[in-house]
């Protein structure tokens, strides 16, 4: 089953002379459980594509289906809840809440959704992420690699069907990079999650199930959109 369907998605920023066609009729599908690496030059439209898939930005035209749901046909409030429950985001800058501890940052998406954390799953995540001893620390007391592991935990805590990552290892050294990637792949295998990850790293891309090449707003290796 396809978890994600991107149909004829275009995105234009600005208008007239200043218009930037960031995405031009992009079509592809991702089956449930697949780990997809998105590669392409800077400015080619990768982040725009990821933000639209995650409903952080809206397409100028086209549709995105997640688990059969046409996400841009949903009302804003429903979409916010749907996004929180079904999509986990990981960014290059870890975006942790500085005043909250590791554990509080991890469960933050659940609190926003007025849900109680599943203690067993929380303990499991802390163990898998190697953060058990750091649970009461603040982000400022952690290394970059540890902070990114918290951000991964925060993306996983809701058990989302889809994980979107925009250069998650961009700020990490080689050792932390491979650790983070191994963790993500392990999590997606354990919990049958689908991952779409933008990366500059050739070796990360090569370890993915599939590589999506973006060039100048076009996904080049999937042929054209079928009408
Ligand atoms: P990538 O992530 O591959 O580096 P982006 O998706 O960030 O590329 O950007 C694609 C193109 O869209 C670039 O030309 C960029 O300048 C432009 N762009 C991105 N976001 C905006 C925005 N909010 N307003 C105007 N132009 C934008
Ligand atoms: Mg980008």
């Amino acid at each position: 089953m396809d978890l994600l369907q991107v149909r004829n998605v275009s995105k234009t920023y600005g208008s007239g002379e200043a218009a930037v066609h960031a995405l031009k009729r992009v079509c592809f599908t991702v089956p449930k459980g697949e780990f997809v690496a998105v590669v392409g030059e800077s400015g080619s439209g990768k982040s725009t594509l990821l933000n639209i898939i995650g409903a952080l930005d809206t397409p100028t035209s086209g549709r995105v289906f997640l688990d059969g749901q046409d996400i841009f046909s949903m009302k804003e409030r429903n979409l916010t809840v749907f996004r929180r429950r079904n999509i986990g985001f990981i960014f290059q800058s870890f975006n942790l809440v500085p005043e909250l501890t590791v554990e509080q940052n991890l469960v933050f998406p659940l609190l926003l959704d007025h849900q109680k954390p599943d203690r067993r799953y929380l303990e499991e995540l802390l163990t898998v992420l190697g953060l058990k001893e750091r649970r009461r620390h603040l982000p400022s007391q952690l290394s970059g690699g540890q902070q990114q592991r918290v951000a991964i935990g925060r993306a996983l805590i809701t058990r989302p069907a889809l994980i979107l990552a925009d250069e998650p290892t961009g700020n990490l050294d080689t050792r932390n990079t491979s650790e983070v990637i191994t963790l993500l792949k392990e999590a997606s295998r354990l919990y049958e999650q689908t991952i779409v990850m933008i990366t500059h790293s050739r070796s990360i891309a090569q370890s993915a199930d599939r590589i999506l090449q973006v060039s100048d707003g076009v996904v080049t290796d999937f042929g054209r959109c079928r009408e």
Side-chain angles (χ1 to χ4, degrees), residues 33 35 152 156 163 178-193 195 197 203-209:
F35 172 23
I152 290 173
L156 296 177
I163 295 179
S178 59
E179 239 174 52
V180 158
I181 298 302
T182 306
L183 267 172
L184 264 176
K185 286 171 74 171
E186 177 71 6
S188 80
R189 197 184 53 75
L190 273 175
Y191 309 119
E192 257 214 299
Q193 283 158 324
I195 305 179
M197 178 191 295
S203 65
I204 294 175
Q206 272 160 1
S207 74
D209 296 323

PDB file of all heavy atoms in Angstrom, residues 33 35 152 156 163 178-193 195 197 203-209:
ATOM      1  N   GLY A  33       6.510   1.932   4.977  1.00  0.00           N
ATOM      2  CA  GLY A  33       7.717   1.303   5.502  1.00  0.00           C
ATOM      3  C   GLY A  33       8.993   1.598   4.740  1.00  0.00           C
ATOM      4  O   GLY A  33      10.071   1.205   5.156  1.00  0.00           O
ATOM      5  N   PHE A  35      12.216   3.641   3.203  1.00  0.00           N
ATOM      6  CA  PHE A  35      13.142   4.693   3.618  1.00  0.00           C
ATOM      7  C   PHE A  35      13.666   5.363   2.343  1.00  0.00           C
ATOM      8  O   PHE A  35      14.416   4.762   1.583  1.00  0.00           O
ATOM      9  CB  PHE A  35      14.276   4.073   4.432  1.00  0.00           C
ATOM     10  CG  PHE A  35      15.403   5.017   4.777  1.00  0.00           C
ATOM     11  CD1 PHE A  35      15.223   6.397   4.817  1.00  0.00           C
ATOM     12  CD2 PHE A  35      16.658   4.515   5.084  1.00  0.00           C
ATOM     13  CE1 PHE A  35      16.268   7.249   5.149  1.00  0.00           C
ATOM     14  CE2 PHE A  35      17.711   5.356   5.416  1.00  0.00           C
ATOM     15  CZ  PHE A  35      17.521   6.730   5.443  1.00  0.00           C
ATOM     16  N   ILE A 152      14.852  13.215  17.564  1.00  0.00           N
ATOM     17  CA  ILE A 152      14.346  11.987  16.932  1.00  0.00           C
ATOM     18  C   ILE A 152      13.298  11.334  17.827  1.00  0.00           C
ATOM     19  O   ILE A 152      12.229  10.930  17.363  1.00  0.00           O
ATOM     20  CB  ILE A 152      15.504  11.010  16.653  1.00  0.00           C
ATOM     21  CG1 ILE A 152      16.391  11.560  15.537  1.00  0.00           C
ATOM     22  CG2 ILE A 152      14.968   9.627  16.279  1.00  0.00           C
ATOM     23  CD1 ILE A 152      17.648  10.765  15.310  1.00  0.00           C
ATOM     24  N   LEU A 156       9.349  10.460  17.203  1.00  0.00           N
ATOM     25  CA  LEU A 156       8.848   9.078  17.255  1.00  0.00           C
ATOM     26  C   LEU A 156       7.769   8.853  18.307  1.00  0.00           C
ATOM     27  O   LEU A 156       7.029   7.881  18.235  1.00  0.00           O
ATOM     28  CB  LEU A 156      10.006   8.111  17.547  1.00  0.00           C
ATOM     29  CG  LEU A 156      11.110   8.004  16.499  1.00  0.00           C
ATOM     30  CD1 LEU A 156      12.202   7.065  16.986  1.00  0.00           C
ATOM     31  CD2 LEU A 156      10.537   7.500  15.186  1.00  0.00           C
ATOM     32  N   ILE A 163       7.847   9.868   8.819  1.00  0.00           N
ATOM     33  CA  ILE A 163       8.873  10.716   9.416  1.00  0.00           C
ATOM     34  C   ILE A 163       9.538  11.514   8.313  1.00  0.00           C
ATOM     35  O   ILE A 163       9.993  10.952   7.313  1.00  0.00           O
ATOM     36  CB  ILE A 163       9.918   9.871  10.161  1.00  0.00           C
ATOM     37  CG1 ILE A 163       9.224   9.181  11.328  1.00  0.00           C
ATOM     38  CG2 ILE A 163      11.071  10.738  10.654  1.00  0.00           C
ATOM     39  CD1 ILE A 163      10.110   8.319  12.127  1.00  0.00           C
ATOM     40  N   SER A 178      26.331   8.561  11.698  1.00  0.00           N
ATOM     41  CA  SER A 178      25.977   7.170  11.431  1.00  0.00           C
ATOM     42  C   SER A 178      25.115   6.613  12.567  1.00  0.00           C
ATOM     43  O   SER A 178      24.221   5.797  12.324  1.00  0.00           O
ATOM     44  CB  SER A 178      27.216   6.311  11.178  1.00  0.00           C
ATOM     45  OG  SER A 178      28.046   6.356  12.291  1.00  0.00           O
ATOM     46  N   GLU A 179      25.338   7.094  13.788  1.00  0.00           N
ATOM     47  CA  GLU A 179      24.507   6.660  14.911  1.00  0.00           C
ATOM     48  C   GLU A 179      23.038   7.049  14.705  1.00  0.00           C
ATOM     49  O   GLU A 179      22.122   6.254  14.888  1.00  0.00           O
ATOM     50  CB  GLU A 179      24.983   7.338  16.192  1.00  0.00           C
ATOM     51  CG  GLU A 179      25.407   6.397  17.279  1.00  0.00           C
ATOM     52  CD  GLU A 179      25.988   7.145  18.454  1.00  0.00           C
ATOM     53  OE1 GLU A 179      25.322   8.083  18.945  1.00  0.00           O
ATOM     54  OE2 GLU A 179      27.114   6.811  18.854  1.00  0.00           O
ATOM     55  N   VAL A 180      22.858   8.327  14.313  1.00  0.00           N
ATOM     56  CA  VAL A 180      21.514   8.859  14.125  1.00  0.00           C
ATOM     57  C   VAL A 180      20.788   8.113  12.999  1.00  0.00           C
ATOM     58  O   VAL A 180      19.617   7.742  13.126  1.00  0.00           O
ATOM     59  CB  VAL A 180      21.605  10.384  13.836  1.00  0.00           C
ATOM     60  CG1 VAL A 180      20.366  10.898  13.130  1.00  0.00           C
ATOM     61  CG2 VAL A 180      21.822  11.139  15.144  1.00  0.00           C
ATOM     62  N   ILE A 181      21.502   7.848  11.925  1.00  0.00           N
ATOM     63  CA  ILE A 181      20.879   7.156  10.793  1.00  0.00           C
ATOM     64  C   ILE A 181      20.521   5.718  11.165  1.00  0.00           C
ATOM     65  O   ILE A 181      19.427   5.236  10.858  1.00  0.00           O
ATOM     66  CB  ILE A 181      21.829   7.166   9.562  1.00  0.00           C
ATOM     67  CG1 ILE A 181      22.093   8.606   9.120  1.00  0.00           C
ATOM     68  CG2 ILE A 181      21.245   6.354   8.409  1.00  0.00           C
ATOM     69  CD1 ILE A 181      20.867   9.394   8.766  1.00  0.00           C
ATOM     70  N   THR A 182      21.419   5.064  11.864  1.00  0.00           N
ATOM     71  CA  THR A 182      21.147   3.692  12.298  1.00  0.00           C
ATOM     72  C   THR A 182      19.901   3.653  13.174  1.00  0.00           C
ATOM     73  O   THR A 182      19.030   2.795  13.008  1.00  0.00           O
ATOM     74  CB  THR A 182      22.354   3.134  13.092  1.00  0.00           C
ATOM     75  OG1 THR A 182      23.513   3.282  12.279  1.00  0.00           O
ATOM     76  CG2 THR A 182      22.161   1.679  13.447  1.00  0.00           C
ATOM     77  N   LEU A 183      19.815   4.627  14.100  1.00  0.00           N
ATOM     78  CA  LEU A 183      18.658   4.707  14.992  1.00  0.00           C
ATOM     79  C   LEU A 183      17.357   4.893  14.235  1.00  0.00           C
ATOM     80  O   LEU A 183      16.356   4.230  14.510  1.00  0.00           O
ATOM     81  CB  LEU A 183      18.819   5.926  15.906  1.00  0.00           C
ATOM     82  CG  LEU A 183      19.480   5.675  17.230  1.00  0.00           C
ATOM     83  CD1 LEU A 183      19.736   6.988  17.930  1.00  0.00           C
ATOM     84  CD2 LEU A 183      18.527   4.808  18.051  1.00  0.00           C
ATOM     85  N   LEU A 184      17.392   5.816  13.292  1.00  0.00           N
ATOM     86  CA  LEU A 184      16.179   6.096  12.524  1.00  0.00           C
ATOM     87  C   LEU A 184      15.728   4.864  11.749  1.00  0.00           C
ATOM     88  O   LEU A 184      14.543   4.534  11.717  1.00  0.00           O
ATOM     89  CB  LEU A 184      16.449   7.229  11.540  1.00  0.00           C
ATOM     90  CG  LEU A 184      16.052   8.611  12.002  1.00  0.00           C
ATOM     91  CD1 LEU A 184      16.454   9.641  10.971  1.00  0.00           C
ATOM     92  CD2 LEU A 184      14.540   8.676  12.240  1.00  0.00           C
ATOM     93  N   LYS A 185      16.690   4.196  11.129  1.00  0.00           N
ATOM     94  CA  LYS A 185      16.337   3.020  10.337  1.00  0.00           C
ATOM     95  C   LYS A 185      15.795   1.911  11.227  1.00  0.00           C
ATOM     96  O   LYS A 185      14.827   1.238  10.877  1.00  0.00           O
ATOM     97  CB  LYS A 185      17.556   2.530   9.550  1.00  0.00           C
ATOM     98  CG  LYS A 185      17.856   3.458   8.384  1.00  0.00           C
ATOM     99  CD  LYS A 185      19.148   3.125   7.726  1.00  0.00           C
ATOM    100  CE  LYS A 185      19.061   1.878   6.886  1.00  0.00           C
ATOM    101  NZ  LYS A 185      20.326   1.722   6.097  1.00  0.00           N
ATOM    102  N   GLU A 186      16.412   1.764  12.384  1.00  0.00           N
ATOM    103  CA  GLU A 186      15.984   0.755  13.339  1.00  0.00           C
ATOM    104  C   GLU A 186      14.547   1.051  13.798  1.00  0.00           C
ATOM    105  O   GLU A 186      13.691   0.169  13.840  1.00  0.00           O
ATOM    106  CB  GLU A 186      16.956   0.786  14.531  1.00  0.00           C
ATOM    107  CG  GLU A 186      16.629  -0.155  15.664  1.00  0.00           C
ATOM    108  CD  GLU A 186      16.861  -1.608  15.305  1.00  0.00           C
ATOM    109  OE1 GLU A 186      17.383  -1.866  14.195  1.00  0.00           O
ATOM    110  OE2 GLU A 186      16.494  -2.476  16.116  1.00  0.00           O
ATOM    111  N   ALA A 187      14.309   2.326  14.106  1.00  0.00           N
ATOM    112  CA  ALA A 187      12.973   2.716  14.573  1.00  0.00           C
ATOM    113  C   ALA A 187      11.940   2.462  13.484  1.00  0.00           C
ATOM    114  O   ALA A 187      10.854   1.949  13.753  1.00  0.00           O
ATOM    115  CB  ALA A 187      12.969   4.183  14.985  1.00  0.00           C
ATOM    116  N   SER A 188      12.287   2.811  12.265  1.00  0.00           N
ATOM    117  CA  SER A 188      11.293   2.662  11.204  1.00  0.00           C
ATOM    118  C   SER A 188      11.010   1.186  10.956  1.00  0.00           C
ATOM    119  O   SER A 188       9.890   0.796  10.645  1.00  0.00           O
ATOM    120  CB  SER A 188      11.750   3.356   9.929  1.00  0.00           C
ATOM    121  OG  SER A 188      12.659   2.564   9.232  1.00  0.00           O
ATOM    122  N   ARG A 189      12.028   0.356  11.152  1.00  0.00           N
ATOM    123  CA  ARG A 189      11.814  -1.082  10.967  1.00  0.00           C
ATOM    124  C   ARG A 189      10.948  -1.634  12.111  1.00  0.00           C
ATOM    125  O   ARG A 189       9.976  -2.329  11.872  1.00  0.00           O
ATOM    126  CB  ARG A 189      13.171  -1.797  10.942  1.00  0.00           C
ATOM    127  CG  ARG A 189      13.142  -3.200  10.371  1.00  0.00           C
ATOM    128  CD  ARG A 189      14.503  -3.861  10.464  1.00  0.00           C
ATOM    129  NE  ARG A 189      15.078  -3.838  11.802  1.00  0.00           N
ATOM    130  CZ  ARG A 189      14.679  -4.622  12.815  1.00  0.00           C
ATOM    131  NH1 ARG A 189      13.700  -5.476  12.637  1.00  0.00           N
ATOM    132  NH2 ARG A 189      15.252  -4.523  14.005  1.00  0.00           N
ATOM    133  N   LEU A 190      11.276  -1.223  13.329  1.00  0.00           N
ATOM    134  CA  LEU A 190      10.531  -1.690  14.508  1.00  0.00           C
ATOM    135  C   LEU A 190       9.078  -1.272  14.450  1.00  0.00           C
ATOM    136  O   LEU A 190       8.181  -2.035  14.794  1.00  0.00           O
ATOM    137  CB  LEU A 190      11.140  -1.097  15.782  1.00  0.00           C
ATOM    138  CG  LEU A 190      12.298  -1.834  16.440  1.00  0.00           C
ATOM    139  CD1 LEU A 190      12.841  -1.017  17.607  1.00  0.00           C
ATOM    140  CD2 LEU A 190      11.812  -3.196  16.937  1.00  0.00           C
ATOM    141  N   TYR A 191       8.837  -0.034  14.075  1.00  0.00           N
ATOM    142  CA  TYR A 191       7.475   0.518  14.174  1.00  0.00           C
ATOM    143  C   TYR A 191       6.829   0.693  12.801  1.00  0.00           C
ATOM    144  O   TYR A 191       5.833   1.380  12.675  1.00  0.00           O
ATOM    145  CB  TYR A 191       7.513   1.850  14.940  1.00  0.00           C
ATOM    146  CG  TYR A 191       8.258   1.743  16.249  1.00  0.00           C
ATOM    147  CD1 TYR A 191       9.399   2.506  16.496  1.00  0.00           C
ATOM    148  CD2 TYR A 191       7.835   0.845  17.230  1.00  0.00           C
ATOM    149  CE1 TYR A 191      10.102   2.390  17.688  1.00  0.00           C
ATOM    150  CE2 TYR A 191       8.538   0.713  18.419  1.00  0.00           C
ATOM    151  CZ  TYR A 191       9.662   1.479  18.648  1.00  0.00           C
ATOM    152  OH  TYR A 191      10.354   1.350  19.813  1.00  0.00           O
ATOM    153  N   GLU A 192       7.425   0.071  11.754  1.00  0.00           N
ATOM    154  CA  GLU A 192       6.877   0.118  10.386  1.00  0.00           C
ATOM    155  C   GLU A 192       6.612   1.539   9.913  1.00  0.00           C
ATOM    156  O   GLU A 192       5.531   1.852   9.415  1.00  0.00           O
ATOM    157  CB  GLU A 192       5.580  -0.682  10.325  1.00  0.00           C
ATOM    158  CG  GLU A 192       5.763  -2.032   9.666  1.00  0.00           C
ATOM    159  CD  GLU A 192       4.525  -2.437   8.893  1.00  0.00           C
ATOM    160  OE1 GLU A 192       3.476  -2.560   9.528  1.00  0.00           O
ATOM    161  OE2 GLU A 192       4.622  -2.577   7.659  1.00  0.00           O
ATOM    162  N   GLN A 193       7.596   2.400  10.143  1.00  0.00           N
ATOM    163  CA  GLN A 193       7.409   3.786   9.740  1.00  0.00           C
ATOM    164  C   GLN A 193       8.064   4.057   8.394  1.00  0.00           C
ATOM    165  O   GLN A 193       9.047   3.420   8.026  1.00  0.00           O
ATOM    166  CB  GLN A 193       7.998   4.714  10.797  1.00  0.00           C
ATOM    167  CG  GLN A 193       7.106   4.820  12.006  1.00  0.00           C
ATOM    168  CD  GLN A 193       7.845   5.269  13.214  1.00  0.00           C
ATOM    169  OE1 GLN A 193       8.999   4.916  13.411  1.00  0.00           O
ATOM    170  NE2 GLN A 193       7.187   6.034  14.049  1.00  0.00           N
ATOM    171  N   ILE A 195      10.055   6.741   6.020  1.00  0.00           N
ATOM    172  CA  ILE A 195      10.942   7.887   6.228  1.00  0.00           C
ATOM    173  C   ILE A 195      11.248   8.557   4.896  1.00  0.00           C
ATOM    174  O   ILE A 195      11.601   7.893   3.917  1.00  0.00           O
ATOM    175  CB  ILE A 195      12.289   7.461   6.846  1.00  0.00           C
ATOM    176  CG1 ILE A 195      12.078   6.688   8.150  1.00  0.00           C
ATOM    177  CG2 ILE A 195      13.201   8.666   7.070  1.00  0.00           C
ATOM    178  CD1 ILE A 195      13.378   6.229   8.796  1.00  0.00           C
ATOM    179  N   MET A 197      13.860  11.443   3.836  1.00  0.00           N
ATOM    180  CA  MET A 197      14.961  12.194   4.417  1.00  0.00           C
ATOM    181  C   MET A 197      15.798  12.910   3.366  1.00  0.00           C
ATOM    182  O   MET A 197      16.308  12.296   2.433  1.00  0.00           O
ATOM    183  CB  MET A 197      15.872  11.239   5.192  1.00  0.00           C
ATOM    184  CG  MET A 197      17.073  11.930   5.804  1.00  0.00           C
ATOM    185  SD  MET A 197      18.264  10.747   6.435  1.00  0.00           S
ATOM    186  CE  MET A 197      17.290  10.031   7.722  1.00  0.00           C
ATOM    187  N   SER A 203      26.732   8.493   1.334  1.00  0.00           N
ATOM    188  CA  SER A 203      26.657   7.172   1.958  1.00  0.00           C
ATOM    189  C   SER A 203      25.290   6.956   2.619  1.00  0.00           C
ATOM    190  O   SER A 203      24.752   5.852   2.586  1.00  0.00           O
ATOM    191  CB  SER A 203      27.799   6.960   2.956  1.00  0.00           C
ATOM    192  OG  SER A 203      27.662   7.848   4.024  1.00  0.00           O
ATOM    193  N   ILE A 204      24.707   8.028   3.183  1.00  0.00           N
ATOM    194  CA  ILE A 204      23.356   7.887   3.746  1.00  0.00           C
ATOM    195  C   ILE A 204      22.378   7.569   2.620  1.00  0.00           C
ATOM    196  O   ILE A 204      21.572   6.648   2.719  1.00  0.00           O
ATOM    197  CB  ILE A 204      22.898   9.170   4.465  1.00  0.00           C
ATOM    198  CG1 ILE A 204      23.767   9.414   5.703  1.00  0.00           C
ATOM    199  CG2 ILE A 204      21.427   9.071   4.859  1.00  0.00           C
ATOM    200  CD1 ILE A 204      23.464  10.712   6.403  1.00  0.00           C
ATOM    201  N   ALA A 205      22.494   8.327   1.527  1.00  0.00           N
ATOM    202  CA  ALA A 205      21.572   8.110   0.401  1.00  0.00           C
ATOM    203  C   ALA A 205      21.679   6.672  -0.087  1.00  0.00           C
ATOM    204  O   ALA A 205      20.672   6.021  -0.376  1.00  0.00           O
ATOM    205  CB  ALA A 205      21.875   9.095  -0.722  1.00  0.00           C
ATOM    206  N   GLN A 206      22.907   6.167  -0.132  1.00  0.00           N
ATOM    207  CA  GLN A 206      23.077   4.815  -0.654  1.00  0.00           C
ATOM    208  C   GLN A 206      22.548   3.742   0.281  1.00  0.00           C
ATOM    209  O   GLN A 206      22.289   2.625  -0.158  1.00  0.00           O
ATOM    210  CB  GLN A 206      24.547   4.571  -1.009  1.00  0.00           C
ATOM    211  CG  GLN A 206      24.784   5.028  -2.442  1.00  0.00           C
ATOM    212  CD  GLN A 206      26.250   5.299  -2.749  1.00  0.00           C
ATOM    213  OE1 GLN A 206      27.111   5.133  -1.883  1.00  0.00           O
ATOM    214  NE2 GLN A 206      26.513   5.715  -3.971  1.00  0.00           N
ATOM    215  N   SER A 207      22.364   4.106   1.554  1.00  0.00           N
ATOM    216  CA  SER A 207      21.823   3.107   2.464  1.00  0.00           C
ATOM    217  C   SER A 207      20.290   3.135   2.493  1.00  0.00           C
ATOM    218  O   SER A 207      19.669   2.343   3.188  1.00  0.00           O
ATOM    219  CB  SER A 207      22.390   3.303   3.873  1.00  0.00           C
ATOM    220  OG  SER A 207      21.802   4.436   4.477  1.00  0.00           O
ATOM    221  N   ALA A 208      19.692   4.048   1.741  1.00  0.00           N
ATOM    222  CA  ALA A 208      18.221   4.127   1.689  1.00  0.00           C
ATOM    223  C   ALA A 208      17.660   3.054   0.763  1.00  0.00           C
ATOM    224  O   ALA A 208      18.385   2.485  -0.049  1.00  0.00           O
ATOM    225  CB  ALA A 208      17.799   5.507   1.211  1.00  0.00           C
ATOM    226  N   ASP A 209      16.352   2.791   0.889  1.00  0.00           N
ATOM    227  CA  ASP A 209      15.707   1.833  -0.022  1.00  0.00           C
ATOM    228  C   ASP A 209      15.622   2.418  -1.431  1.00  0.00           C
ATOM    229  O   ASP A 209      15.626   1.703  -2.424  1.00  0.00           O
ATOM    230  CB  ASP A 209      14.270   1.534   0.445  1.00  0.00           C
ATOM    231  CG  ASP A 209      14.256   0.849   1.801  1.00  0.00           C
ATOM    232  OD1 ASP A 209      15.145   0.022   2.053  1.00  0.00           O
ATOM    233  OD2 ASP A 209      13.362   1.173   2.611  1.00  0.00           O
TER     234      ASP A 209
END
